[in-house]
Amino acid sequence: MVSQASLANAIRVLTMDSVQAANSGHPGAPMGMAEMAVALWDRHLKHNPADPKWPDRDRFVLSNGHGSMLLYALLHLTGYDLPLEELKNFRQLHSKTPGHPEYGLTVGVETTTGPLGQGIGNSVGLALAEKLLATEFNREGFPIVDHYNYVFVGDGCLMEGISHEVCSLAGTWKLSKLIAFFDDNGMSIDGAVEGWFTDDTPRRFEAYGWNVIRGVDGHDVDAVDLAICAAKSQHDKPTLICCKTVIGKGSPNKAGTIDVHGAALGKDEVAATRVALGITEGAFEVPEAVRAAWDGRAAGATRQAEWQTLFAAYRAAHPKLATEFVRRMKGELHPEFSATAAEALQAVVARNEAIATRKASQNAIQALVPVMPELIGGSADLTGSNLTNWKGCRSIRPEAMAEGGNYIYYGVREFGMVAIMNGLVLHGGFRPFGGTYLMFSEYARNAIRMAALMCINPIFVFTHDSIGVGEDGPTHQPIEQAATLRMVPNLDVWRPCNSVETFVAWQIAIEHRSTPTALILTRQNLPHLAHHSSQTSMIRRGGYVLKDCSGAPKAVIIATGSEVCLALDAQQALAEKGIAVRVVSMPSSFMFDQQDVSYRESVLPRSVPRVAVEAGITGYWRQYVGLEGAVVGIDRFGESAPVSQVFEYFGITAAAVLTAVEGVIAG
């Protein structure tokens, strides 16, 4: 029989050899967490390496993602499609074993981790998804959704502020199928943490409402196993298992020191570690008996077959529910979505409402919810301002979690909100959207970036989009935020000018499969702005001719959001002076830039000078107007005053646009 020590040492061997081959990486954490991994992966984790997307698998997240070799070793040893050659290519160009785990690149990786704290945030979203789906789909005798969500965290994760945000919510929501393992090795990249991390972590988590299991020897497989069993035995709290470990365990000269945190052991220390562990095999060699003991394919196939039998019976008893469950887990749109959206859009065109785009957004949500039961909304303590709720939505309430719901009050936790939303997407079965003021997207920025990097599709609703916030002043008036969000690769940013563009933005956001969307919306009502039905298909292109002129244009005005009406007013004033000008609305430069060259040039002719107008930073628009063009915008922080006064003070007016157009025409 293969010993538990041999299973753990296989992880250590693959870790130190891979890091040594790359001469780059973090061997300390994987070597220190090896026994924790054995206890979980060998004795508890429900998964099938042959089908990494099995819906009822347990989810495992390595929040301390710098320890990526732990995960790669586990995936390789248990039988996932991650051959040894990929471990030998650790951290090399185009390998499946990058420096930090990447979702969508490496089979079996549930989420991209590396920015510390976000993995635990994603895990809270995964656990919430499991709980809500179980409430919605499980029926007596048919627990088709019944799995755990495990996450390894280090002291770095728990230092990050996001850990407070998400772990507080996890306790409030009583997510009992979330089990976190604290790798308490007392060491970060700067050395022993006692000089900057002296929190009483167990008491902190108890204050959140967690079940805390203290003082577990992280190098004792049986002790960790017993802790997991204890965590599973209770059903009203998430669990933190506090595992005391030695970083770089097994290394005779570097274990427990900073030297093993973020650098290869060195050839001599690798050799010494082999001797200390009693390993006679060469680099990357794992005894066949150990490999066989680690192989999880047979057990995984059996577990999944049992679930499939259960699901077949469930389908026979509840065919509609089964069909809906499959659709949602595949991320497919409801078969009636397109027809419903098209009908709703025509109704919006017909109404021609003069309302704030945040209200138009709420109307769009209300229209689409009937064919989007997977939508789960929320706001970071600004529901009444973001207008992210809708008639008939059901809030998720701590005192009634068994009732489920589809609206989340996140509290003042923007970063945590987006990380949880990412987890909801990654689990499958939900399309989350969450709101805050555009200014406070800054708090959530890194999680927004992670959504884009992972090619997943949450929807971010950012209201109060400009100096139009008015009296709240410069702390709440976004200036550079729209531009910098547009600069995030694979993030579709929409700043619509009216109800029609807002609805189209929502429609496209929902249709996106591998792109997150940011909707940038006004607080203030906007003037009536009519669209005719034939223009709606053009809106989908991201930029289009909203109103053309008679004859060839002498200039083109590009505008977004609340400033489109200024462009139209300037166009009319210029027409009265005999100057023909085209107005282009560009609610999504992301979509516009994907159009073919001929279309883009039909909207923005090369030879015609251009002026852009947006109540934000000007530099972004230089790529569309060139150095010879002009931009009417703001390159300083705002002022506190009524909306009309603020726009006048900063020169965001039709008159300023007119002057700019005349200037570019004159050359």
Side-chain angles (χ1 to χ4, degrees):
M1 183 175 178
V2 175
S3 69
Q4 300 297 291
S6 296
L7 296 179
N9 287 339
I11 296 171
R12 293 189 172 100
V13 164
L14 294 175
T15 292
M16 66 182 185
D17 288 345
S18 297
V19 175
Q20 189 62 41
N23 196 28
S24 173
H26 298 77
M31 294 174 73
M33 295 189 293
E35 282 83 9
M36 294 161 55
V38 171
L40 175 60
W41 280 67
D42 187 55
R43 300 187 184 184
H44 290 273
L45 194 72
K46 181 175 70 172
H47 66 124
N48 183 6
D51 186 3
K53 294 299 184 181
W54 168 30
D56 200 41
R57 69 190 182 279
D58 290 340
R59 273 68 168 175
F60 173 76
V61 172
L62 184 70
S63 189
N64 44 348
H66 56 273
S68 57
M69 268 309 307
L70 176 79
L71 181 53
Y72 300 148
L74 289 166
L75 294 172
H76 169 72
L77 290 167
T78 56
Y80 286 79
D81 185 16
L82 191 66
L84 189 61
E85 285 303 310
E86 294 292 348
L87 274 63
K88 293 179 179 180
N89 286 326
F90 179 55
R91 286 186 164 227
Q92 305 308 298
L93 186 64
H94 303 315
S95 76
K96 302 295 184 183
T97 50
H100 295 83
E102 295 184 27
Y103 172 79
L105 176 66
T106 310
V107 64
V109 172
E110 300 285 0
T111 182
T112 299
T113 56
L116 294 177
Q118 289 203 57
I120 180 65
N122 299 158
S123 297
V124 173
L126 292 169
L128 179 62
E130 192 275 343
K131 189 161 193 168
L132 294 176
L133 284 172
T135 297
E136 185 175 356
F137 287 99
N138 287 357
R139 295 294 183 268
E140 186 174 355
F142 298 104
I144 64 164
V145 181
D146 185 15
H147 55 265
Y148 283 86
N149 305 275
Y150 301 101
V151 54
F152 281 12
V153 300
D155 38 27
C157 291
L158 299 185
M159 287 185 235
E160 290 284 359
I162 187 176
S163 70
H164 295 263
E165 297 182 23
V166 300
C167 293
S168 172
L169 278 171
T172 297
W173 292 334
K174 306 180 188 303
L175 300 179
S176 61
K177 290 193 174 173
L178 173 63
I179 300 176
F181 299 74
F182 174 26
D183 176 34
D184 183 11
N185 61 33
M187 194 68 63
S188 72
I189 204 162
D190 270 352
V193 301
E194 59 192 13
W196 51 86
F197 185 54
T198 60
D199 302 14
D200 188 334
T201 298
R203 289 181 66 186
R204 169 186 155 190
F205 274 77
E206 286 170 347
Y208 293 151
W210 285 55
N211 171 47
V212 177
I213 301 175
R214 303 165 180 249
V216 177
D217 181 352
H219 302 301
D220 184 334
V221 174
D222 291 334
V224 178
D225 175 32
L226 286 172
I228 299 170
C229 291
K232 289 181 171 181
S233 70
Q234 60 84 41
H235 306 289
D236 61 352
K237 294 180 179 180
T239 295
L240 179 71
I241 301 174
C242 299
C243 298
K244 194 65 180 176
T245 62
V246 176
I247 191 170
K249 175 74 170 178
S251 171
N253 301 302
K254 294 186 177 183
T257 73
I258 192 174
D259 296 333
V260 77
H261 188 287
L265 295 181
K267 291 182 179 179
D268 291 344
E269 189 65 11
V270 168
T273 302
R274 278 190 156 81
V275 173
L277 296 176
I279 295 169
T280 57
E281 291 78 18
F284 293 100
E285 291 181 2
V286 176
E288 286 304 314
V290 175
R291 285 191 171 278
W294 262 120
D295 194 332
R297 288 173 291 186
T302 299
R303 284 176 168 174
Q304 185 170 355
E306 291 170 351
W307 181 85
Q308 288 172 330
T309 299
L310 175 69
F311 191 79
Y314 176 79
R315 185 186 291 278
H318 307 283
K320 290 184 179 180
L321 280 173
T323 299
E324 179 67 2
F325 179 80
V326 170
R327 179 189 73 80
R328 290 202 15 203
M329 294 304 295
K330 288 182 176 180
E332 298 174 345
L333 290 177
H334 193 285
E336 297 178 12
F337 174 79
S338 295
T340 299
E343 183 179 348
L345 176 56
Q346 292 308 307
V348 173
V349 172
R351 285 198 297 269
N352 287 327
E353 297 169 298
I355 57 176
T357 51
R358 62 171 174 165
K359 180 60 181 176
S361 170
Q362 186 179 48
N363 293 343
I365 295 167
Q366 191 73 59
L368 295 172
V369 157
V371 288
M372 287 292 297
E374 59 265 47
L375 280 178
I376 182 167
S379 175
D381 205 48
L382 291 167
T383 295
S385 293
N386 299 148
L387 302 185
T388 42
N389 59 346
W390 64 95
K391 185 179 180 181
C393 69
R394 297 174 294 109
S395 65
I396 294 169
R397 297 175 295 128
E399 73 277 10
M401 291 298 291
E403 298 176 9
N406 55 9
Y407 192 83
I408 302 173
Y409 291 93
Y410 289 97
V412 188
R413 299 183 177 97
E414 296 88 357
F415 195 0
M417 174 180 71
V418 176
I420 290 169
M421 288 168 59
N422 289 346
L424 287 165
V425 174
L426 290 163
H427 184 279
F430 290 105
R431 285 295 306 277
F433 64 91
T436 186
Y437 291 172
L438 176 58
M439 187 65 249
F440 304 137
S441 66
E442 297 289 350
Y443 284 125
R445 179 59 66 98
N446 201 255
I448 295 169
R449 183 179 186 270
M450 293 294 283
L453 193 157
M454 289 190 281
C455 297
I456 58 176
N457 57 2
I459 301 169
F460 312 120
V461 179
F462 297 135
T463 68
H464 297 58
D465 71 338
S466 72
I467 55 172
V469 173
E471 292 89 343
D472 280 341
T475 63
H476 285 52
Q477 293 169 358
I479 300 296
E480 74 277 20
Q481 281 65 40
T484 56
L485 284 168
R486 292 178 181 125
M487 294 170 71
V488 177
N490 193 43
L491 176 63
D492 189 7
V493 178
W494 282 78
R495 188 169 185 250
C497 69
N498 68 350
S499 296
V500 179
E501 285 190 357
T502 303
F503 189 94
V504 173
W506 262 104
Q507 188 175 0
I508 291 177
I510 288 171
E511 292 170 356
H512 277 318
R513 295 294 298 271
S514 57
T515 300
T517 304
L519 306 177
I520 297 180
L521 309 169
T522 66
R523 172 195 188 190
Q524 72 275 23
N525 289 340
L526 300 183
H528 170 74
L529 178 58
H531 273 90
H532 51 78
S533 299
S534 61
Q535 285 181 305
T536 57
S537 62
M538 295 296 102
I539 297 173
R540 296 181 63 89
R541 293 176 175 259
Y544 64 101
V545 179
L546 173 63
K547 190 174 182 181
D548 217 343
C549 54
S550 300
K554 293 184 179 180
V556 176
I557 305 173
I558 308 168
T560 76
S562 53
E563 288 70 69
V564 169
C565 61
L566 302 181
L568 292 171
D569 289 346
Q571 180 193 45
Q572 182 175 344
L574 288 161
E576 292 171 358
K577 299 173 71 171
I579 302 173
V581 173
R582 170 181 292 179
V583 173
V584 169
S585 178
M586 194 176 290
S588 170
S589 58
F590 177 90
M591 295 297 294
F592 181 75
D593 290 346
Q594 295 181 43
Q595 306 305 311
D596 58 69
V597 173
S598 62
Y599 176 79
R600 285 183 277 134
E601 290 187 356
S602 73
V603 176
L604 302 175
R606 286 179 180 267
S607 58
V608 181
R610 305 166 188 173
V611 172
V613 53
E614 184 174 66
I617 202 162
T618 62
Y620 179 83
W621 292 103
R622 284 292 168 190
Q623 62 187 306
Y624 298 102
V625 305
L627 295 177
E628 71 282 359
V631 183
V632 178
I634 309 171
D635 289 313
R636 52 152 289 187
F637 297 120
E639 295 282 347
S640 176
V643 173
S644 60
Q645 294 179 27
V646 177
F647 274 95
E648 185 71 29
Y649 177 78
F650 284 107
I652 312 297
T653 62
V657 178
L658 184 151
T659 300
V661 171
E662 290 181 327
V664 299
I665 292 174

